[in-house]
Amino acid sequence: MKKRIAIFASGSGSNAQKIMEHFKYSDLAEVAIVLSNNPDAYVLQRADNFEIPSHIFDKTVFYQTNEIVDLLKRLEVDMVILAGFLLLVPENLLQAFPNKIINIHPALLPKFGGKGMYGDRVHKAVLAAGEKEHGITIHFVNEHFDEGEVIYQGRFAVDAGDTLEIIKFKGQQLEHLHYPKVIENLLKKYN
Ligand code: GAR
């Protein structure tokens, strides 16, 4: 039976798009559902385009009920992927999917991570610090923002004159290339 993936995203969902594309014709796995805390997130449209069901929830449901865990269990989800998802994952979800929740972060963790560090804020901080190297991290999720065990890091040089748009683009290229492959490799290790 195919492995089943749930994607959580709060915004545009360009990574979710690459994952949905990657597994569209896969024999190994399929994206079973896309979930978002943001009813205006463009990722919902992207899911629609792939005819993948989506689910919107609010913070109260996420933090004070078991609804989301129950939904994922009912859908027989094997792996949970965070792709630009900005809420901290609650304990009940972590316990329901031990070592099965992964996140992507647009920096070389542990640098430039933690609460409030997302999207352009990360890249601005990297430029302000005069970093010569930047990159992406894919990691297991734990109860803290951006802190679980690292699975993969990709690096690139920050060249003189690089703007926020340029380093963001370099990072996105790496994310889009590697996130689906890392997910595939992890899924292959599951029974
Ligand atoms: C990605 O760059 C991802 O690394 C980042 O949000 C972006 C989402 O883009 N995640 C974080 O900053 C988490 N702390 P997308 O919606 O186009 O995939």
Side-chain angles (χ1 to χ4, degrees):
M1 231 180 72
K2 281 191 198 181
K3 304 289 180 215
R4 291 168 63 77
I5 300 167
I7 302 177
F8 283 70
S10 303
S12 162
S14 69
N15 280 285
Q17 169 92 23
K18 292 293 166 189
I19 296 162
M20 291 187 286
E21 279 170 15
H22 185 89
F23 289 103
K24 186 167 171 160
Y25 300 110
S26 166
D27 291 330
L28 175 73
E30 63 192 338
V31 178
I33 188 163
V34 170
L35 300 101
S36 186
N37 60 308
N38 174 8
D40 300 320
Y42 185 58
V43 71
L44 298 167
Q45 179 63 52
R46 295 187 196 264
D48 232 32
N49 295 343
F50 281 85
E51 297 180 351
I52 290 171
S54 56
H55 182 81
I56 301 164
F57 58 88
D58 64 25
K59 274 189 181 178
T60 314
V61 163
F62 198 43
Y63 291 116
Q64 293 177 23
T65 77
N66 218 42
E67 256 181 54
I68 298 300
V69 170
D70 291 345
L71 174 65
L72 298 181
K73 290 287 175 195
R74 205 158 61 236
L75 292 172
E76 300 184 320
V77 163
D78 299 289
M79 185 183 238
V80 174
I81 303 299
L82 311 187
F85 182 63
L86 300 182
L87 300 180
L88 195 63
V89 174
E91 194 58 41
N92 63 338
L93 191 48
L94 289 170
Q95 277 175 10
F97 293 91
N99 284 318
K100 300 274 168 66
I101 310 181
I102 70 174
N103 181 42
I104 192 160
H105 185 77
L108 292 168
L109 292 173
K111 284 182 171 180
F112 305 104
K115 191 168 166 43
M117 270 296 187
Y118 58 86
D120 287 359
R121 294 190 194 189
V122 175
H123 304 304
K124 275 184 195 155
V126 166
L127 289 177
E131 295 288 301
K132 297 279 176 279
E133 188 184 55
H134 188 23
I136 65 157
T137 304
I138 298 169
H139 63 96
F140 287 109
V141 171
N142 68 13
E143 64 274 30
H144 304 291
F145 276 112
D146 306 325
E147 273 191 20
E149 186 196 335
V150 171
I151 303 164
Y152 173 84
Q153 287 191 308
R155 296 160 192 277
F156 59 86
V158 179
D159 298 317
D162 272 4
T163 60
L164 186 147
E165 288 308 320
I166 290 172
I167 63 169
K168 184 174 167 177
F169 179 74
K170 288 180 180 176
Q172 271 173 344
Q173 297 291 100
L174 274 184
E175 290 191 338
H176 294 168
L177 183 64
H178 291 285
Y179 208 10
K181 288 188 195 167
V182 168
I183 294 165
E184 169 143 353
N185 286 337
L186 282 175
L187 284 168
K188 278 183 182 158
K189 292 183 194 156
Y190 291 2
N191 296 323

